[in-house]
């Protein structure tokens, strides 16, 4: 279940990485801010959780747009490290803003979904989990159709393949980059609320762990491969669940990052990887 | 000057471009009239592709002007220049290999409405039946000649008024080069203005109306292709051994 939310974060990474060839360290904080926006909406207006998720997606998308304008576009791309460092800066700034506004404590989500426990054979599933899975899958299907069926989706893919050539097709690649940031951030915002629901915990530091998992999944699925990110997220989620069940819950993260190292050693192109640089 | 200017579609005036400190070409003057096919011939490294990069807005000129249909375009971003009607078929094809053939064509018509795009897609498939049969395959699976056809077809999808063809014969077998040049001549008959850049001077001079000879970043000769073909200097430097 949780894997599906990982997928959402990883898709965002993958989209940004595919188009800009850049690891966006601030993405985890967009996820965190998204979680807080959803939480505040529920706390302040007592709205339905779906409305809160949509609100958080809009908020996160705007945040993504601002990040792109302020910390990417003005930076010279000739220096490969510069944009990367800039995203680390964004990450720290957002984390501190989060701490200042919302405090450093972990806050729980109020009860917004009636808790029902379903038993399917030996497996127990709660209504919260089902909701999260359904919502995450719906978003993934939407984004998949968007990327593969719409004109802007095609433009995103060709910009990822070669931005100069894309602009020679009449595509305003700056606009495509902005849109990519907005879409990726919206997905991260939704994932923030969903993860907040699962763990019943929202904190300014929740993004740090998520970003590393996002990297792992991106590697697992193959860099720049959206479908790989979807499946990779679910695989990582399942592995975590099994490691909790058969090992110990405190080893969960060690397990996840162990996988990352193994992939880097044995299959650097990822499970569904295509070679990125063909020329 | 004035009456001649009226028929000119592309006008490059005293253009100089470079990468950092290195000058790619210097004080280049070129004009292309409506409906004309003009060739630029010259050896590898003469600055031909840099000139096309500057016309399409990928490189910024250091000095000089580029006018398209009377409007200055040298400060516009690349995507706007395409939308004005200049389409560049790049050297080495530069098709998008990781998307399908059909999607390549769709991207070519990016700034146009869906209806025009779809009807042009049909016209394209009539002209290039190979592309129709394989429309949903990834473009990277096409052979070199087929990729060149796709690149030309994709450029046509934007309904260009001026097509820039960069080394369309490069790396292709002689028979396929003939096919491609057959298509190029058809395009001119359809009223599309063509600026052709070629190392293969022989085929370029046979196909185009007028030509410029470029050497180490400068235009050294220009004239009607029939005159250039018989010019001893051109024969010695560019047509030698091809007789």
């Amino acid at each position: 279940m949780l894997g599906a939310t990982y997928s959402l974060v990883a898709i965002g990474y993958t989209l940004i990485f595919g188009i800009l060839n850049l690891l966006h360290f601030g993405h985890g904080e967009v996820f965190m801010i998204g979680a807080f926006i959803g939480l505040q909406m529920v706390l302040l207006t007592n709205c339905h959780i779906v409305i809160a998720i949509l609100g958080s997606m809009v908020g996160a998308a705007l945040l993504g747009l601002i990040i792109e304008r302020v910390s990417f576009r003005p930076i010279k791309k000739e220096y490969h490290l510069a944009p990367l460092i800039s995203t680390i800066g964004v990450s720290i700034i957002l984390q501190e803003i989060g701490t200042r506004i919302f405090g450093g404590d972990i806050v729980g989500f109020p009860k917004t979904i009636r808790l029902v426990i379903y038993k399917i054979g030996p497996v127990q599933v709660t209504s919260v989990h089902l909701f999260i899975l359904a919502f995450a899958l719906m978003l993934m299907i939407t984004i998949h159709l968007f990327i593969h069926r719409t004109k802007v989706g095609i433009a995103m893919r060709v910009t990822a393949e070669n931005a100069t050539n894309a602009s020679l097709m009449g595509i305003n690649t700056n606009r495509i980059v902005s849109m990519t940031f907005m879409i990726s951030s919206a997905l991260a915002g939704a994932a923030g609320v969903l993860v907040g629901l699962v763990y019943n915990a929202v904190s300014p530091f929740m993004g740090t762990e998520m970003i590393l998992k996002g990297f792992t999944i991106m590697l697992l699925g193959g860099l720049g491969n959206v479908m790989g990110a979807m499946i990779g997220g679910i695989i990582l989620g399942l592995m975590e669940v099994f490691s909790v069940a058969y090992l110990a819950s405190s080893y969960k993260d060690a397990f996840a990052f162990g996988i990352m190292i193994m992939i880097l050693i044995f299959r650097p192109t990822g499970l569904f990887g295509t070679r990125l640089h063909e020329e | 000057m004035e009456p001649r200017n009226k028929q000119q579609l592309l006008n490059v005036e005293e253009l100089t471009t470079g990468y950092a400190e290195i000058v790619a070409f210097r004080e280049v003057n070129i004009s292309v009239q409506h409906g004309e096919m003009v060739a630029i011939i010259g050896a590898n490294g003469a600055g031909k592709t840099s000139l096309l990069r500057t016309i399409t807005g990928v490189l910024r000129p250091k000095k000089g002007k580029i006018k398209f249909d009377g409007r200055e375009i040298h400060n516009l971003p690349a995507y706007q220049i395409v939308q004005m009607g200049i389409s560049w078929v790049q050297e080495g094809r530069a098709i998008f290999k990781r998307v399908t053939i059909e999607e390549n064509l769709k991207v070519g018509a990016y700034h146009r409405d869906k209806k025009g795009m779809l009807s042009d897609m049909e016209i394209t498939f009539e002209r290039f039946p190979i592309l129709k049969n394989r429309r949903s395959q990834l473009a990277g699976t096409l052979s070199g000649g087929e990729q060149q056809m796709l690149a030309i077809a994709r450029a046509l999808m934007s309904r260009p008024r001026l097509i820039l063809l960069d080394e369309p014969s490069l790396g292709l077998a002689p028979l396929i080069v003939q096919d491609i040049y057959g298509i190029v001549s058809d395009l001119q008959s359809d009223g599309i203005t063509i600026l052709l850049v070629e190392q293969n001077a022989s085929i370029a001079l046979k196909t185009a109306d007028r030509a410029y000879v470029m050497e180490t970043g400068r235009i050294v000769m220009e004239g009607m292709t029939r005159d250039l073909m018989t010019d001893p200097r051109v024969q010695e430097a560019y047509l030698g051994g091809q007789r």
Side-chain angles (χ1 to χ4, degrees):
Chain A
M1 309 291 148
L2 205 52
T5 60
Y6 291 169
S7 299
L8 289 181
V9 177
I11 290 167
Y13 264 137
T14 301
L15 287 175
I16 291 176
F17 183 84
I19 288 189
L20 294 162
N21 221 348
L22 170 120
L23 293 176
H24 176 19
F25 273 95
H27 202 57
E29 273 57 46
V30 174
F31 161 85
M32 175 272 289
I33 300 276
F36 270 109
I37 293 173
L39 177 68
Q40 294 298 325
M41 280 179 73
V42 171
L43 288 177
L44 297 177
T45 66
N46 203 19
C47 62
H48 192 270
I49 188 70
V50 173
I51 310 263
I53 296 175
L54 293 178
S56 124
M57 288 176 76
V58 172
L62 289 176
L63 180 63
L65 183 68
I66 295 168
I67 293 175
E68 195 266 329
R69 286 289 157 88
V70 174
S71 67
F72 278 92
R73 195 173 290 186
I75 288 178
K76 291 227 161 126
K77 306 293 180 292
E78 286 83 8
Y79 311 104
H80 283 293
L81 275 179
L84 183 78
I85 307 266
S86 160
T87 67
I88 295 175
V90 167
S91 156
I92 293 168
I93 291 168
L94 288 179
Q95 212 174 83
E96 305 222 317
I97 291 177
T99 318
R100 176 140 295 253
I101 300 179
F102 306 114
D105 298 331
I106 295 173
V107 196
F109 245 92
K111 277 222 162 47
T112 45
I113 300 174
R114 203 153 50 90
L115 191 73
V116 187
I117 297 173
Y118 302 97
K119 283 190 179 158
I120 311 163
V123 187
Q124 276 193 8
V125 185
T126 68
S127 51
V128 178
H129 282 133
L130 283 180
F131 171 78
I132 289 164
L133 183 67
F135 203 93
L137 284 180
M138 186 207 74
L139 280 179
M140 279 191 261
I141 292 167
T142 311
I143 194 78
H144 185 80
L145 291 177
F146 177 79
I147 293 172
H148 284 92
R149 297 285 161 82
T150 67
K151 193 167 151 177
V152 177
I154 298 175
M156 281 171 68
R157 280 184 291 144
V158 300
T159 306
E161 188 169 335
N162 187 325
T164 308
N165 289 350
S167 71
L168 286 167
M169 298 293 116
I171 296 169
N172 184 347
T173 45
N174 273 336
R175 196 142 94 205
I176 295 295
V177 168
S178 298
M179 286 190 64
T180 306
F181 262 85
M182 289 177 74
I183 292 167
S184 302
S185 302
L187 292 177
V193 181
L194 294 176
V195 168
L197 278 175
V198 182
Y199 286 127
N200 200 19
V202 175
S203 94
F205 309 107
M206 66 194 286
T208 318
E209 187 193 334
M210 198 49 152
I211 194 177
L212 292 171
K213 284 189 181 153
F215 284 151
T216 312
I217 294 161
M218 192 163 75
L219 287 169
L220 189 66
L223 293 177
N225 184 334
V226 173
M227 192 58 119
M230 292 183 190
I231 299 167
I234 291 168
I235 292 176
L236 187 74
L238 284 174
M239 283 178 170
E240 281 192 8
V241 170
F242 283 117
S243 73
V244 171
Y246 295 108
L247 294 164
S249 62
S250 48
Y251 286 129
K252 186 178 73 146
D253 291 343
F255 202 68
F257 295 117
I259 290 169
M260 178 169 85
I261 294 170
M262 299 279 267
I263 294 166
L264 285 174
I265 295 172
F266 294 110
R267 200 172 156 77
T269 54
L271 294 181
F272 314 94
T274 43
R275 281 198 195 113
L276 263 187
H277 303 287
E278 285 147 46
E279 277 95 312
Chain B
M1 270 320 255
E2 266 311 302
R4 229 184 101 204
N5 264 340
K6 286 218 171 108
Q7 301 144 20
Q8 281 175 0
L9 186 59
L10 181 76
N11 233 324
V12 173
E13 295 167 12
E14 296 292 315
L15 198 68
T16 301
T17 305
Y19 306 85
E21 298 301 306
I22 304 147
V23 173
F25 55 85
R26 199 184 292 279
E27 288 147 24
V28 164
N29 290 288
I30 276 175
S31 66
V32 182
Q33 293 176 23
H34 283 281
E36 207 182 15
M37 187 182 326
V38 174
I40 302 174
I41 58 173
N44 199 6
K48 307 187 298 296
T49 297
S50 298
L51 177 62
L52 296 190
R53 288 170 72 89
T54 315
I55 294 173
T56 52
V58 175
L59 269 182
R60 290 268 162 260
K62 290 201 159 139
K63 269 186 236 145
K65 282 181 188 167
I66 305 168
K67 282 187 195 158
F68 181 64
D69 214 8
R71 243 186 93 186
E72 288 189 3
I73 59 166
H74 50 267
N75 287 321
L76 296 179
Y79 75 94
Q80 282 182 15
I81 293 174
V82 181
Q83 292 177 3
M84 287 177 69
I86 298 183
S87 199
W88 179 21
V89 181
Q90 289 183 73
E91 181 184 339
R93 278 80 77 174
I95 55 164
F96 298 109
K97 295 196 173 83
R98 284 187 263 150
V99 304
T100 66
I101 288 157
E102 192 169 344
E103 285 166 342
N104 264 282
L105 294 172
K106 277 187 186 165
V107 168
Y110 188 73
H111 62 273
R112 298 180 51 208
D113 62 89
K114 194 168 178 182
K115 213 172 133 197
M117 184 268 285
L118 287 175
S119 79
D120 272 21
M121 187 95 86
E122 288 313 310
I123 297 170
T124 304
F125 284 145
E126 259 166 52
R127 188 178 235 150
F128 305 96
I130 300 164
L131 301 181
K132 182 172 189 172
N133 299 334
R134 303 177 62 178
R135 60 202 288 176
S136 50
Q137 291 180 22
L138 293 184
T141 63
L142 293 173
S143 73
E146 289 162 353
Q147 288 189 10
Q148 185 61 269
M149 284 183 199
L150 176 59
I152 293 173
R154 184 181 64 180
L156 291 175
M157 290 296 292
S158 72
R159 283 276 170 112
R161 285 190 288 164
L162 173 66
I163 254 192
L164 311 175
L165 285 173
D166 197 357
E167 308 277 4
S169 72
L170 195 76
L172 298 180
L175 270 178
I176 297 167
V177 172
Q178 276 187 15
D179 285 353
I180 300 283
Y181 269 86
I183 295 165
V184 172
S185 299
D186 290 348
L187 297 183
Q188 193 188 11
S189 321
D190 291 351
I192 298 173
T193 310
I194 298 168
L195 181 61
L196 169 70
V197 159
E198 261 293 357
Q199 281 183 57
N200 184 340
S202 149
I203 196 158
L205 292 178
K206 270 181 213 148
T207 320
D209 306 313
R210 222 153 45 76
Y212 295 87
V213 181
M214 204 165 180
E215 267 171 23
T216 55
R218 287 175 190 276
I219 300 288
V220 291
M221 283 174 82
E222 61 173 289
M224 302 306 286
T225 47
R226 56 174 180 274
D227 301 331
L228 287 174
M229 259 190 283
T230 52
D231 187 291
R233 283 169 299 169
V234 174
Q235 280 191 340
E236 182 167 344
Y238 297 101
L239 301 172
Q242 291 183 4
R243 303 244 104 185

